Amino acid sequence: MKRSAIIALVVAAALLVVLFSIPWFIRVVTDWYWFEALGFQVVFLRELWTKLLLGSVVGIISFAFFFTNLRLAQRGLVPDPLVVTFSPNVPKVDLTQMLRRVTWPVSLAMGLMLGLSGASGWHLLLRLLNATPFGVSDPVFGRDISYYEFVLPAVHAVLSLVTGLTLLALFIVVPLYLLRRDIVVAGKRIVIERSAEVHLGVLLCVMFLATALTTFLVRIPMVLYSTSGPLFGATYTDLTMRIPLMHMSWVISLLGAGFVLLGIRTKKVARNTIAAVVAYFLVAGVGGSLLPAMVQKFVVDPNELAKETPQLEHHIAATREAWGLNEVAIRDLSGEATLDLADIQNNSGTIKNVRLWDRDPLLQTFRQLQEIRTYYDFNSVDDDRYWIDGEYRQVLLSPRELNTASLPTRNFINERLTYTHGMGLTLSPVNQVTLEGLPHLFIKDLPPASSVSIEVTRPQLYYGELSNDYAFARTGQPEFDFPLGDSSAFTSYAGNGGVEVSSFLKRLFLSARFRSFDALLTEYVTRESRVLYYRNIRERVAKALPFLTWDSDPYMVITDDGRLVWILDAYTRSGRYPYSEPLADGTNYMRNSVKVVIDAYHGSVSAYITDPGDPIIRTYDKIYPGVLLSLGEMPDDIRAHIRYPEDLFRAQTALYTTFHMDEPDIFYSREDQWQIPVLARSEGPRDPFLRHIVMKLPGESQEEYIVMTPFTPRQKDNLAAWMVARNDGDNYGKLVVYRFPRQSLVFGPSQIVNRMNQDTEISRQISLWDQRGSEVIRGSLLVIPIEESLIFVQAIYLRAEGGRIPELKRVVVAYQNQVVMEETLEQGLARLFGGAGAVTPPIMTVDEVLADTPDVAAASIADLVRQASNHYDRAMAAQRAGDWATYGEEMQLVGELLRQLREAGGGG
C-alpha cells in the first residue's frame, strides 16, 4: 500500500471522528449552559474533566502499549515475506510491509477506543479518591465495608484493563508472528524465533501476574457475595475449601509467571507455558469445582444448620445493618383489646382521616371533572397532610399538567411558545363526598380557587412529571395561562429558570440541540427570552444529580406562601455489601440519603442530605462540594411535608418478613416467617395494604402521618404484626413494628374480605347494582389500627354503564367478626359500636352541598336547607363530643330532610 493511500485513509478516519463528534460537542455545550443556569457547574465540570483525564491516560497507555508491541513484532527483515497478487496487472503486495505501515493508525484507533471505554470509569476514580469509611468490618477478612464499596471496583477495573490489553496484544502479535514465519509449526514441534519467543514470554508472564493479582485482590473478596448456599455470602464450603483453593491458584499463577521467565532463559517458553496453564486449571478448574462439591455433599449437607450457623449469623446481621432493619423498634400488643365508643372518641383524629378515596377512582374523577381542557392532564394522585382551618387533615392532590400531545393544533408556535405550562392542582380531603358520591374539592377550577386556609398564589407549572419538551418563555408571543370564559388569559414568564438566549451563538447551539430551524429563525425569540429544557422532573434530577437513584413517586407540596414545589426522594444504593440479602436487581444496601426540592415555576433544584450517617452520600458530598445542603437548611414549610419513601419502605417490609427472625436456627427453618397479605383479586395497586394514614399510634398522645403495612404468618391469613414508618417532626424515619401475640387470633385482610363476601346483605346489594348495569368497584381494604386493635374499611364505588366517573356509594366497616355496610363511615361505626341504626347523613355541610349542586338551591326549598343545616351542625357537635346516640338521632332527621330535598329538586 502506498504512503498516499495510507494518508488518505487516516484523513478519512479523522473526518469521520470529527463528524460524529459534532453532536457530542453540541450536547456538551448546551448541557454546560443548563448546568450553569442551575448553579450545578461543579457536577458538570467534575465529570467532564475526570472523563477527559482518565480517558486520555487510558488512551495514551493503550496506544503506547499496542504501538510498542506491534513494532517489536515487526522489527528486523523478513527473509521470506508473504506476497499476495490481487490481479495480474497490479504489482504484488508484501503483506508484512503493508502491516508495518498501518502500525501507527491501528495503535491510534485501539488507543482511542480503549480511552473512550476507560473514561466511563470516571465515577470509580472519584469515589476511590474520596472514599469514606463505613466503620463496619466484614466478618471474614476484617476489611472495612468501604473497601468493597470504593476500592474493590476500582482495583477490578484496573486489573481488567491490564488483562484485556495483554490478551488483545497476544491475539494481534501471534498471528503477526505466524505471518512473518517467526513461529513455525513443524509436525509436533513448534519452532519460535528467539526475539519472538522473548516477546511472547513477557506478554504471557504479564498475563499470569494479572491473573494472580485478580484472584488475590478481587476474586477472593468477592466470595463474600456467593450464592451457592442457603444464604447470600460466603458459606462453610466457601470458607473452608474455595478460598484456600483460590489462594493456591494465585500462588500457582505467580509460579507460572516465574516458570515462563525461566522458559525465556532456557528457550522453552512454549513448553513451560503449557505446563503452567495445565497446573493452574487443575487447581482452579478441576479442584475449584470438584473438591468444594464433595465437601458440600458429604460434610455440609448432612449437618447444614450446624455448619452454616456462623455464616447465618453474619448474613442476618449484615442484612439488618445494610437495610436499616436493626433500628426497627418492637412494640408488643396484648391481642386482647376490644374497642368501644370511648376508644373511637379518643381516636377521632384517626377516624376523620380514614382514606375512603382510592387513588385510581379519584384520578378518574379528577380527569372528568377538573381537566377542563383536553390539553390538561392529571398524571397521578398523591397523599399528603396539611393543617387546614386548624385541623390536621390528610388530603389527596393532583397537579393539572400540560400535555402538549393533546393540543388541537400542534406546531412550533403552539408547542414551544404559547402553551408552555400547566395550571394549579386539585386537592380534596380523603374522606368527604358530595351527595352525588363525588369527592369534595378544597381546591379546584381555573385559576385554582380554594375554600379552605390553603391558597395557591403561583399556580403555573413549568416543570412536572409530563413536561418533557423544551419551551421558550418571555418571548414576543404571549403565553396561554388559563381559559377565561369564551376567551383566554395570557401571561409572560417572570421566573429565573431556563437558559438565557443572550447571543446568536447560544441560539445557534440550542437550535442545533433541538434540531429546529424554527428556533433559530423565529422573530419571537429575543435576547431576553429563556429556553426551558430538561423540564421533566425525573429527567431533571437525574441530569443534575447523576450519582443518585430515585423513588418512583414524586409528590407536590403547597408552601405557606402558595408556591408549588416537587419533592423527590433520592437513594444511595449498592450491591457490594458483604453478606447482605439483595433485591431482584442486585441492590443489597439502600439509604434515603437525599431529598430534592424542585420549584415548579422556577425549576430550581435544591438537594438536602437526610441521612448524614451514610458513608456513600458523604463521599459524594466530598466529590461535589456545595451541591448537597444539610436538612436544617430546608425551609420549615417544606420540611413539614417530607415523608418516608415508599420504595424503600416496600423493600424493608419485604425483607423484614424474614429478617425479623434473628436467631440462626429459627431463621434457617423459617419457623416464624411472615408475608405481606395478598388478596385473590389481581387488579388494583401492587401494594394494596401499603397506606399513608393520619392516626394516633398506640401509646402516643396525638395523631401523626405514617405509612404502614400489615404482616400475616406465611401461608396463613390471620395478622401477625404491622409496621409503620413515622413521618412527622423529630420522629421522621423511625420504624416501629407492632406485634400481636402468636397465640392470639387477629383476623387478617383475606379473612375480612371473605366475611364481606359471605355477608348476605352486602352480596345482595352488590348483585343488585350489577344487575342494573352499573359497574361495582371495590376499593382497597384499609387496615386501620385503633389503640391495640384494628378495624377494616372498604369503600364501594359505582360507575354507570358507559360512564367514566366512579361515585362513592357505600362504606363497608368490619371489626372482629362483625361486618356492616352503610352509606358513611360514621354510620357504620355507629352500628358496630352502638348508637343509631341506618341513617343517610351528608358528609358535607349543606352550604357545601349547595355550592357543589346549585340546581338544588331553589327558593322553594330554602326552609328545608336551613333545617338540614341546623340538624347537621348539631350532629357534628355531638360527634366531636363522642355522643353517638345524639349524633344518630340528628342524622336521621338530616336524612329525612335530604330525601325531601331530592324530591323537591326533582331527583326522586
Side-chain angles (χ1 to χ4, degrees):
M1 182 179 294
K2 295 183 178 180
R3 184 178 298 273
S4 58
I6 296 176
I7 295 175
L9 182 63
V10 171
V11 171
L15 288 175
L16 284 175
V17 170
V18 171
L19 184 63
F20 283 106
S21 297
I22 290 176
W24 172 83
F25 182 71
I26 291 172
R27 180 166 288 273
V28 167
V29 171
T30 52
D31 278 351
W32 165 249
Y33 293 157
W34 185 82
F35 276 99
E36 185 180 34
L38 196 64
F40 279 38
Q41 298 96 318
V42 64
V43 176
F44 178 87
L45 293 175
R46 192 61 51 90
E47 177 179 342
L48 178 63
W49 290 120
T50 307
K51 280 183 174 180
L52 290 174
L53 176 62
L54 186 59
S56 299
V57 170
V58 172
I60 291 171
I61 291 174
S62 300
F63 166 77
F65 184 80
F66 283 111
F67 185 80
T68 301
N69 278 278
L70 287 174
R71 295 299 293 177
L72 286 173
Q74 298 179 89
R75 66 189 184 279
L77 297 176
V78 181
D80 187 15
L82 181 61
V83 178
V84 178
T85 303
F86 294 101
S87 171
N89 300 323
V90 176
K92 295 180 180 181
V93 176
D94 184 349
L95 284 182
T96 56
Q97 188 66 24
M98 182 186 70
L99 292 174
R100 186 192 297 269
R101 291 174 178 173
V102 299
T103 296
W104 188 86
V106 168
S107 301
L108 185 62
M110 296 295 291
L112 180 62
M113 288 188 294
L114 289 171
L116 291 173
S117 176
S120 64
W122 62 276
H123 60 288
L124 298 178
L125 177 61
L126 290 177
R127 284 158 53 94
L128 176 66
L129 296 177
N130 296 274
T132 302
F134 274 63
V136 179
S137 299
D138 79 83
V140 175
F141 303 112
R143 296 189 179 104
D144 190 271
I145 303 300
S146 60
Y147 174 83
Y148 302 92
E149 180 62 31
F150 304 118
V151 179
L152 185 59
V155 171
H156 193 188
V158 171
L159 291 174
S160 296
L161 176 64
V162 173
T163 302
L165 287 174
T166 307
L167 280 174
L168 281 172
L170 284 168
F171 287 144
I172 292 173
V173 300
V174 168
L176 193 57
Y177 278 130
L178 288 170
L179 188 65
R180 289 169 53 90
R181 294 187 174 86
D182 289 330
I183 300 178
V184 177
V185 180
K188 296 182 180 181
R189 295 179 63 248
I190 300 177
V191 180
I192 306 177
E193 190 269 334
R194 179 57 180 165
S195 61
E197 186 178 34
V198 173
H199 184 194
L200 292 175
V202 171
L203 288 176
L204 291 169
C205 182
V206 172
M207 193 68 206
F208 275 109
L209 289 174
T211 301
L213 290 174
T214 300
T215 302
F216 181 73
L217 297 176
V218 177
R219 290 184 58 215
I220 291 177
M222 289 183 71
V223 171
L224 300 188
Y225 308 137
S226 171
T227 58
S228 60
L231 55 98
F232 181 86
T235 62
Y236 177 87
T237 301
D238 294 324
L239 297 175
T240 59
M241 187 56 61
R242 286 196 175 90
I243 289 179
L245 285 170
M246 286 183 179
H247 280 295
M248 291 179 61
S249 65
W250 74 258
V251 170
I252 288 177
S253 294
L254 282 180
L255 294 175
F259 205 43
V260 171
L261 287 177
L262 180 63
I264 293 174
R265 184 174 181 179
T266 59
K267 301 180 182 180
K268 297 178 181 178
V269 169
R271 189 184 69 178
N272 288 11
T273 300
I274 293 172
V277 170
V278 169
Y280 177 82
F281 278 104
L282 283 174
V283 174
V286 179
S289 58
L290 181 60
L291 293 179
M294 293 175 63
V295 170
Q296 181 68 33
K297 183 172 181 60
F298 297 111
V299 178
V300 176
D301 287 349
N303 311 281
E304 190 171 51
L305 177 58
K307 297 297 184 182
E308 300 293 7
T309 292
Q311 290 70 248
L312 287 171
E313 291 176 346
H314 302 331
H315 179 47
I316 295 169
T319 301
R320 291 170 64 90
E321 172 70 27
W323 288 100
L325 303 180
N326 58 333
E327 298 178 359
V328 175
I330 306 296
R331 303 283 186 269
D332 288 317
L333 303 175
S334 65
E336 301 175 354
T338 57
L339 297 180
D340 54 25
L341 281 175
D343 295 319
I344 300 298
Q345 177 184 356
N346 291 336
N347 291 271
S348 59
T350 301
I351 300 301
K352 291 177 183 177
N353 287 285
V354 171
R355 199 181 94 179
L356 300 180
W357 283 103
D358 273 4
R359 291 185 183 185
D360 288 344
L362 188 63
L363 183 61
Q364 295 172 38
T365 304
F366 281 174
R367 285 173 173 170
Q368 294 301 312
L369 300 181
Q370 283 290 303
E371 283 186 355
I372 300 178
R373 292 291 188 270
T374 58
Y375 41 79
Y376 288 127
D377 197 1
F378 291 104
N379 183 63
S380 62
V381 175
D382 293 309
D383 287 271
D384 208 344
R385 72 286 196 194
Y386 288 84
W387 283 96
I388 299 176
D389 298 328
E391 288 189 298
Y392 197 53
R393 301 292 299 272
Q394 185 175 353
V395 299
L396 294 163
L397 59 89
S398 184
R400 185 185 292 104
E401 298 196 57
L402 179 71
N403 187 349
T404 55
S406 299
L407 288 173
T409 304
R410 300 188 62 184
N411 54 43
F412 176 78
I413 299 297
N414 279 348
E415 292 186 62
R416 310 303 182 192
L417 306 180
T418 305
Y419 294 90
T420 57
H421 58 274
M423 173 57 62
L425 50 77
T426 296
L427 182 145
S428 68
V430 295
N431 65 336
Q432 284 187 249
V433 297
T434 68
L435 293 175
E436 291 80 8
L438 301 176
H440 176 48
L441 304 180
F442 283 167
I443 299 178
K444 61 182 179 179
D445 298 339
L446 291 172
S450 174
S451 61
V452 293
S453 56
I454 304 175
E455 296 286 345
V456 178
T457 59
R458 178 68 81 180
Q460 292 84 1
L461 303 176
Y462 284 86
Y463 300 86
E465 294 184 87
L466 295 180
S467 305
N468 55 4
D469 297 323
Y470 72 92
F472 286 93
R474 206 178 297 169
T475 66
Q477 172 68 20
E479 297 176 48
F480 173 82
D481 205 23
F482 56 87
L484 189 62
D486 294 332
S487 60
S488 300
F490 291 89
T491 188
S492 180
Y493 183 65
N496 53 23
V499 174
E500 290 183 336
V501 190
S502 55
S503 67
F504 176 78
L505 183 61
K506 264 190 178 181
R507 187 166 174 175
L508 180 64
F509 272 107
L510 291 166
S511 301
R513 164 69 178 266
F514 304 133
R515 299 180 182 179
S516 172
F517 279 109
D518 291 329
L520 180 64
L521 302 176
T522 181
E523 296 180 358
Y524 291 113
V525 176
T526 68
R527 289 180 178 271
E528 288 73 35
S529 299
R530 308 179 79 92
V531 59
L532 284 57
Y533 50 109
Y534 291 122
R535 294 201 297 151
N536 180 283
I537 55 173
R538 289 188 177 90
E539 182 183 5
R540 191 171 186 82
V541 293
K543 188 70 176 178
L545 303 165
F547 47 90
L548 300 172
T549 58
W550 303 94
D551 191 81
S552 60
D553 187 24
Y555 55 99
M556 176 163 279
V557 168
I558 307 171
T559 65
D560 287 352
D561 59 358
R563 294 180 300 110
L564 301 178
V565 299
W566 294 95
I567 296 181
L568 295 91
D569 285 288
Y571 302 111
T572 49
R573 295 175 181 250
S574 174
R576 306 184 184 98
Y577 201 104
Y579 275 107
S580 174
E581 181 73 15
L583 303 180
D585 64 357
T587 301
N588 69 355
Y589 172 93
M590 190 173 180
R591 292 289 185 272
N592 174 217
S593 298
V594 176
K595 292 188 183 292
V596 178
V597 178
I598 299 180
D599 191 293
Y601 186 75
H602 298 285
S604 58
V605 177
S606 302
Y608 302 93
I609 296 178
T610 54
D611 187 356
D614 174 29
I616 298 180
I617 202 61
R618 287 161 58 194
T619 297
Y620 285 126
D621 193 29
K622 289 187 283 186
I623 295 173
Y624 306 106
V627 170
L628 302 174
L629 309 174
S630 68
L631 186 60
E633 297 178 75
M634 180 183 286
D636 292 339
D637 55 343
I638 297 177
R639 188 170 180 178
H641 293 277
I642 63 175
R643 69 188 190 194
Y644 202 80
E646 290 186 8
D647 288 352
L648 176 58
F649 188 67
R650 187 177 293 112
Q652 288 175 315
T653 52
L655 288 164
Y656 198 77
T657 58
T658 301
F659 287 90
H660 72 276
M661 300 177 288
D662 53 8
E663 296 295 330
D665 53 341
I666 298 176
F667 181 90
Y668 178 81
S669 63
R670 299 296 196 266
E671 177 185 334
D672 190 26
Q673 187 169 5
W674 297 342
Q675 67 182 19
I676 296 173
V678 293
L679 297 177
R681 292 187 302 152
S682 59
E683 67 272 13
R686 58 174 173 165
D687 301 298
F689 301 107
L690 191 153
R691 281 288 179 268
H692 290 91
I693 305 174
V694 170
M695 64 166 290
K696 183 164 63 175
L697 292 171
E700 300 294 332
S701 60
Q702 64 182 20
E703 289 78 16
E704 58 185 285
Y705 186 62
I706 58 99
V707 58
M708 71 159 290
T709 290
F711 299 116
T712 63
R714 184 168 59 100
Q715 297 181 348
K716 300 291 183 181
D717 292 330
N718 59 289
L719 274 185
W722 45 282
M723 177 187 278
V724 304
R726 306 175 72 175
N727 291 299
D728 290 349
D730 294 335
N731 290 321
Y732 172 80
K734 293 181 179 179
L735 301 177
V736 187
V737 167
Y738 294 88
R739 298 188 304 193
F740 294 104
R742 295 180 62 182
Q743 67 274 13
S744 66
L745 174 62
V746 180
F747 289 124
S750 296
Q751 294 167 320
I752 294 297
V753 169
N754 290 336
R755 286 185 172 271
M756 291 179 179
N757 293 335
Q758 294 165 5
D759 187 277
T760 56
E761 179 186 350
I762 296 174
S763 299
R764 180 187 60 80
Q765 183 63 67
I766 291 178
S767 298
L768 182 62
W769 282 324
D770 280 332
Q771 291 171 6
R772 291 178 177 177
S774 298
E775 179 187 359
V776 178
I777 303 172
R778 304 184 70 161
S780 298
L781 182 66
L782 305 178
V783 183
I784 311 295
I786 303 289
E787 298 298 337
E788 293 196 3
S789 189
L790 300 168
I791 63 173
F792 297 83
V793 177
Q794 184 178 52
I796 305 295
Y797 311 92
L798 285 187
R799 184 162 51 201
E801 185 175 4
R804 297 183 179 180
I805 303 179
E807 299 175 3
L808 196 157
K809 288 301 183 184
R810 293 290 186 272
V811 178
V812 181
V813 186
Y815 171 64
Q816 293 183 347
N817 61 351
Q818 305 173 69
V819 180
V820 299
M821 182 173 74
E822 296 295 341
E823 293 190 14
T824 68
L825 173 63
E826 290 84 357
Q827 188 176 357
L829 292 172
R831 280 190 60 185
L832 285 175
F833 300 104
V839 294
T840 312
I843 307 184
M844 299 166 52
T845 66
V846 174
D847 290 338
E848 292 169 334
V849 172
L850 296 178
D852 275 23
T853 56
D855 57 301
V856 180
S860 62
I861 59 173
D863 186 57
L864 291 174
V865 170
R866 283 192 296 272
Q867 291 181 54
S869 179
N870 291 335
H871 286 296
Y872 180 73
D873 289 342
R874 285 194 287 270
M876 292 299 99
Q879 181 193 39
R880 287 190 290 271
D883 185 355
W884 292 96
T886 302
Y887 169 83
E889 294 171 359
E890 293 294 335
M891 295 309 289
Q892 281 183 329
L893 295 173
V894 171
E896 177 61 31
L897 289 167
L898 286 177
R899 281 190 286 274
Q900 297 178 36
L901 278 171
R902 292 193 186 98
E903 293 172 1

